[in-house]
Amino acid sequence: MTSKQKIFYFIYLHRTGLTVTGLSLALLLYPVFENNPYTLGLTNLIAINAIVVLGLNLFIGYAGQISLGHAAFFGLGAYGSAIATVTFNIPAWPAMFLVAGMVALVALIVGIPILRLSGHYLAMATLGMNFVFHSILLQWDEMTGGPSGFAGIPYLSFGSFAFDDEIRLHYLIWGFALLALLLCLNLVRSSVGRGLAALAGDEVAAAALGVDTRKTKVKIFVLSAILASVAGSLFAHTYSFISPDSFDIFVATDFVIMVVIGGMGSIWGSLFGAGLITMLPEWMDIFETYKDFVHGGLLVLVLLFLPQGLVSGIIDNIKIKVTLRRRKNAET
Amino acid sequence: MLRLEQVSKNFGGLPALSNVTFPVAQGQLTALIGPNGAGKSTLINCITGVLDPSQGSITFQNREIAGQPTHIISRLGIARTFQNLKIFPRLTVLDNVLTGLTSEGGDSMLMAMLRLPALRHRERRLRLRAMEALDRFQLADKATWPAGILAYGDKKRVELARATVGNPQLLLLDEPVAGLNAEETAAVGEQLRRLRSSGHTMLLVEHDMDLVMELADRVVVLDSGKCIALGSPDEIRRNPLVLEAYLGRTEAIA
């Protein structure tokens, strides 16, 4: 190999690590160049959504299932942290992990029966779950504050260092998002991840390769619920006010749209999907006013033309083109 | 090694298999033949736990496996290929073969997420073995290709590589040369010969009689869900019942 080839090979071999390092550096320096609190607030929101979408993409894109109910886990995390810290005076950090543990348990109890379903039935069941959760938030007002929401949630802090401005929150939230990204990237590059990919491809084939399909689906469901719960806790501590509207079925479908836009089965795509859908209403007013139309329209277009999702669909196509060209060159 | 005793399978009262009994001996290639609709694929699906037999017992290394879930049976060391290819088109060829080593890769999600050095070592070993398997099937130069764009014959070989990479105790092959041209058929035949001489135990479902008669140690003939003959290729070739099942009544051709 020439030294140029060696460099390329090194980059190819360590592409995941290098990209993560690059992204981390960019995020580390980002607040130096961007100090508009509004913009930072938006990118923070992207990170919170990305954490949910990463988990959901494992469930939808890798395990091949569908959930229209992840806003419920997101909301459980948010309300869990709010109630634990304000009502029960539990310190915020332990509360966050405690809540994540409880959400995991809820996901396990819900997941074991409903993951026997698949396709449309699973979509309806998870949608129903989100409805139930949303109704509880609205009705149980002595605990949740009802439709008027829950205010006065404290910021996360280390001693007297509170994550109370956008720049501090940027490091906190993106720290969590990068950690989630890294864990998910590691997961999909292992034999567990390949088992998941097999499961998304063909359930019978996956089982014949030794994948315990039922258990794997439940495990991934629980994992994605934990990620959503952590994102919810961060959401609550960031805005210090939460209301049921942030966790209704439209939010749940938005999470699914983020997965689809980014690309099913693409971890990096999850970041892109979360970013694009979070930013769209900011870029153009028309997207804000007709948000549901735009989101629905995007979903239909992507599913019609790139059923694997926008980013991974494009990447797949490029890969195929490159491979075919190489084969052609090799033949001539 | 594998024994089927009185295995029956009904689909809503319709018998697809009735009282099928035969053994698959260690280190041999047993061929399962029969006209279309004879129940060959149903039988493979019963052995692998995709379907539960209505009656009868299937023992593998003296262990009852009838009615066990598919992944348990797979982890006992029974690998299979599918009549209608089931490769994963979006994964690379290498990753497709690596899925054949899923049960050896460990299934701890936490371990996988932390990617500790022990796991990296294991991954590297699995990758090496998968590359060796690709080498055996002359697919090494296509390792990084998305499997979906391969030619049909190559896809079949990917499936064979995936099924054999884990060194299974028993290999179930559901029509490995169906849809292949003469050249590709010869290549797969060569592979099967090599697998047999390296001591693999195989159950081969196949319509290509030349291949079956050449490779098989034992032949089992199914017709309308019943086992009508069992013997060496020569015995089967001369068996009037088999001729009848394949060609209609013997008087007609006599």
Side-chain angles (χ1 to χ4, degrees), chain B residues 10-253:
Chain B
N10 303 319
F11 290 112
L14 211 72
L17 293 173
S18 38
N19 298 322
V20 175
T21 300
F22 68 87
V24 174
Q26 173 102 41
Q28 288 199 339
L29 193 154
T30 307
L32 182 62
I33 63 169
N36 284 323
K40 302 182 298 290
S41 287
T42 307
L43 192 64
I44 295 281
N45 284 335
C46 283
I47 297 171
T48 51
V50 176
L51 296 170
D52 289 345
S54 318
Q55 266 166 35
S57 95
I58 303 171
T59 50
F60 176 66
Q61 292 173 331
N62 300 321
R63 192 180 153 161
E64 180 65 43
I65 57 166
Q68 294 278 331
T70 306
H71 67 272
I72 298 285
I73 294 173
S74 156
R75 288 176 193 177
L76 290 175
I78 301 183
R80 72 174 290 187
T81 65
F82 293 88
Q83 187 180 351
N84 44 348
L85 282 174
K86 285 190 195 289
I87 61 162
F88 308 115
R90 292 187 63 221
L91 298 188
T92 63
V93 171
L94 179 64
D95 277 344
N96 262 281
V97 176
L98 277 168
T99 59
L101 293 167
T102 305
S103 20
E104 288 176 50
D107 62 354
S108 159
M109 229 167 243
L110 196 66
M111 269 277 281
M113 290 205 291
L114 297 178
R115 205 174 173 81
L116 300 174
L119 186 115
R120 286 185 207 202
H121 276 290
R122 190 163 60 196
E123 279 289 304
R124 212 167 297 151
R125 271 204 314 276
L126 296 184
R127 202 168 285 271
L128 270 174
R129 278 175 61 191
M131 280 310 288
E132 281 166 17
L134 284 178
D135 253 341
R136 280 198 293 280
F137 289 89
Q138 286 94 45
L139 286 163
D141 53 330
K142 293 168 184 159
T144 58
W145 291 24
I149 65 169
L150 293 178
Y152 187 73
D154 283 348
K155 284 182 184 165
K156 283 235 151 187
R157 285 191 294 168
V158 171
E159 224 190 21
L160 270 174
R162 183 178 74 188
T164 51
V165 66
N167 258 320
Q169 307 276 324
L170 172 66
L171 187 55
L172 307 174
L173 301 161
D174 200 350
E175 304 201 12
V177 302
L180 298 186
N181 63 30
E183 196 183 327
E184 291 167 330
T185 302
V188 171
E190 181 53 41
Q191 284 304 329
L192 296 185
R193 207 166 295 127
R194 217 176 296 164
L195 285 171
R196 193 184 59 168
S197 57
S198 62
H200 278 81
T201 311
M202 287 179 273
L203 179 62
L204 168 73
V205 173
E206 191 46 72
H207 277 297
D208 188 318
M209 280 310 131
D210 295 337
L211 192 74
V212 166
M213 292 303 168
E214 189 205 330
L215 285 175
D217 298 295
R218 304 281 288 171
V219 180
V220 179
V221 189
L222 277 189
D223 184 30
S224 314
K226 293 190 188 69
C227 178
I228 59 166
L230 179 67
S232 69
D234 277 336
E235 289 162 9
I236 293 299
R237 217 178 265 141
R238 290 193 301 266
N239 188 319
L241 278 172
V242 177
L243 290 175
E244 191 179 310
Y246 267 91
L247 303 168
R249 302 197 62 89
T250 32
E251 298 95 77
I253 51 162

Side-chain angles (χ1 to χ4, degrees), chain A residues 198-218:
Chain A
L199 187 55
D202 188 309
E203 235 172 86
V204 174
L209 293 165
V211 179
D212 185 343
T213 53
R214 192 172 292 161
K215 206 163 134 193
T216 307
K217 285 184 207 169
V218 174

